[in-house]
Amino acid sequence: MRFIDISGVGNSGKTAVTDLLREVEGVYSPEYSFEFDLFRVPGGLLDLRRNLKTDWSPVRSHAAYFQFLDVVTKMGANPAWWNIPGLFRSTSQRYQRRFNHKFQRLSEEFVNSFVKGRYRAEWPYENLRMSGWRRFLCKVLRRLGMRRYLMAEVVMIDGEDFDARALAYLSALYREVVQDGEKLVVLNNGFEPFNPSPGLDMLAGSRQVVVIRDPRDCYVSGLNHYKVDSEDKHLLAFDNDGLSKSFLATDDLDMFVRRYRLYNEKVYQGDDPRTLHIRFEDLVRRYEDCVARIFRFLEISPLRHKQPGKYFDHHVSAKNVGIWRHYRHRDEVRYLESELSEFLIDV
């Protein structure tokens, strides 16, 4: 099983690529709203890999083990509406439901495969995982000379063969949701576009496509639905409900500029052949050439493009290119052009 990460920096149009790949035979591409966040979240797969493989230490590997288990429990939890403790614990991704109730078991088996042994000892770093009341209790017990009650389980863990085991784990996980014959799995913002190499190294044969878009269109289509003038509401993205795009910081024009510049300057600019950068505008306006480029990069035969136009209609998407030209507040557009001139895309 091979994995394809489609990434962007927010409102960049990466959904166009995931929809395009939904039209290809043998590719599993989920709905645009599903992002498998287990890679990039703090304590997730990328952090686990770093602490077990590339930057190992007894302290960090031990902590990463428990952090990963905690993340798996919270992201996997699928409590019923009446399960109040479960609802408090869940972060609402509900991966147990998504992956046929196998997510927790497969994830625990994966991380436990690295454990070389367990023993009990004084381990002061455990204080960082404790609740406040428990830390206070430990201080009291220590003052009373009852240190033997402060022993904790220490996990010896080694990231040997981490990448091979991670690929096997994720392949087993996705076999619960892919159809027979689907060998390519699309991830939405799985690795993120800033430092893709660890994720690409983790999953042999994987690739990343990064979608870039003109900042003027990113800004206009991501404006706050509740604050934009009624005459401009038709310019907003279809999934813009007033909150879903708030991460773009469009409520503050200067902050949007700072965010856009920072994120785009941090996008990986190296020469790793496993990454491909495309412009949303090219996919829409130069559809045939850009699709051919994507398929060559992903080693997908054009003959497998069985349903062109079913999910991604570039004629419809063309309406989302150059929408800034119709935005009534021309002073804001001019400010974007002056502050982000090097990122502008001529169409």
Side-chain angles (χ1 to χ4, degrees):
M1 190 171 290
R2 292 173 53 213
F3 291 83
I4 304 168
D5 181 41
I6 312 299
S7 280
V9 295
N11 214 29
S12 65
K14 68 181 177 62
T15 298
V17 180
T18 59
D19 283 348
L20 169 69
L21 293 176
R22 292 177 71 190
E23 301 169 354
V24 178
E25 182 181 61
V27 175
Y28 170 78
S29 185
E31 68 278 14
Y32 77 93
S33 58
F34 177 67
E35 297 187 351
F36 186 56
D37 288 330
L38 187 64
F39 287 94
R40 58 180 176 161
V41 295
L45 277 168
L46 289 171
D47 277 358
L48 183 69
R49 181 182 189 271
R50 183 179 67 253
N51 288 309
L52 268 60
K53 179 180 172 66
T54 62
D55 191 20
W56 184 92
S57 82
V59 173
R60 288 191 295 276
S61 61
H62 168 95
Y65 170 82
F66 287 104
Q67 287 168 355
F68 185 76
L69 286 175
D70 186 54
V71 165
V72 163
T73 298
K74 291 173 179 175
M75 299 183 85
N78 182 37
W81 65 267
W82 42 262
N83 183 352
I84 303 302
L87 292 172
F88 273 106
R89 182 170 60 251
S90 172
T91 51
S92 298
Q93 283 86 0
R94 295 179 181 263
Y95 288 160
Q96 275 290 90
R97 181 172 64 190
R98 182 83 190 193
F99 293 100
N100 196 26
H101 301 281
K102 302 289 180 60
F103 174 75
Q104 190 116 12
R105 178 176 66 80
L106 290 173
S107 300
E108 290 175 357
E109 288 176 355
F110 163 67
V111 74
N112 281 321
S113 73
F114 299 107
V115 175
K116 299 299 184 182
R118 303 169 188 264
Y119 63 96
R120 296 189 65 78
E122 272 196 314
W123 196 256
Y125 314 105
E126 281 299 286
N127 291 339
L128 296 169
R129 294 200 304 125
M130 293 178 183
S131 62
W133 70 266
R134 190 175 175 189
R135 271 197 300 274
F136 176 75
L137 177 61
C138 287
K139 293 175 182 178
V140 172
L141 292 175
R142 186 171 286 107
R143 285 293 185 90
L144 295 176
M146 305 174 71
R147 289 171 55 196
R148 65 184 180 278
Y149 294 107
L150 304 179
M151 303 278 277
E153 181 185 61
V154 180
V155 179
M156 294 191 304
I157 190 163
D158 183 6
E160 183 181 8
D161 298 326
F162 185 96
D163 294 343
R165 296 187 197 193
L167 179 58
Y169 155 60
L170 289 163
S171 297
L173 190 63
Y174 269 91
R175 285 192 195 102
E176 296 298 324
V177 295
V178 303
Q179 302 296 315
D180 290 341
E182 293 178 335
K183 300 298 184 182
L184 294 177
V185 172
V186 172
L187 304 170
N188 286 336
N189 259 344
F191 308 152
E192 297 185 313
F194 312 111
N195 181 27
S197 295
L200 294 168
D201 291 343
M202 186 191 310
L203 303 180
S206 58
R207 297 289 184 271
Q208 183 184 68
V209 179
V210 178
V211 184
I212 299 166
R213 189 183 186 190
D214 189 293
R216 295 167 293 187
D217 279 344
C218 287
Y219 174 74
V220 172
S221 62
L223 287 166
N224 190 326
H225 177 83
Y226 297 109
K227 294 185 177 181
V228 71
D229 297 342
S230 58
E231 294 88 347
D232 290 324
K233 286 188 184 294
H234 69 285
L235 302 176
L236 303 185
F238 74 95
D239 58 341
N240 186 343
D241 62 4
L243 294 175
S244 60
K245 302 295 184 181
S246 58
F247 67 94
L248 295 171
T250 55
D251 281 348
D252 184 326
L253 181 58
D254 181 62
M255 191 60 66
F256 171 85
V257 166
R258 282 192 258 170
R259 178 196 177 276
Y260 186 94
R261 176 177 295 282
L262 174 65
Y263 284 30
N264 281 271
E265 287 179 343
K266 295 294 185 181
V267 167
Y268 174 74
Q269 300 295 334
D271 57 0
D272 192 320
R274 298 169 298 177
T275 64
L276 173 69
H277 290 192
I278 67 166
R279 303 189 305 187
F280 172 73
E281 292 79 2
D282 288 342
L283 182 57
V284 171
R285 296 293 177 87
R286 301 171 181 86
Y287 174 79
E288 300 291 344
D289 290 342
C290 195
V291 169
R293 185 184 175 205
I294 292 171
F295 285 178
R296 281 196 304 271
F297 172 71
L298 298 177
E299 299 178 344
I300 293 175
S301 168
L303 298 177
R304 289 165 54 190
H305 195 189
K306 299 292 189 180
Q307 299 176 302
K310 181 176 181 179
Y311 298 106
F312 173 61
D313 187 333
H314 66 284
H315 298 294
V316 174
S317 293
K319 300 175 183 177
N320 297 319
V321 174
I323 59 174
W324 56 268
R325 291 191 174 94
H326 308 288
Y327 184 50
R328 296 173 66 251
H329 294 274
R330 306 309 301 168
D331 56 324
E332 296 177 14
V333 173
R334 287 191 294 271
Y335 184 76
L336 291 171
E337 292 173 340
S338 66
E339 294 296 320
L340 299 171
S341 58
E342 68 269 40
F343 300 106
L344 304 182
I345 297 174
D346 294 327
V347 292

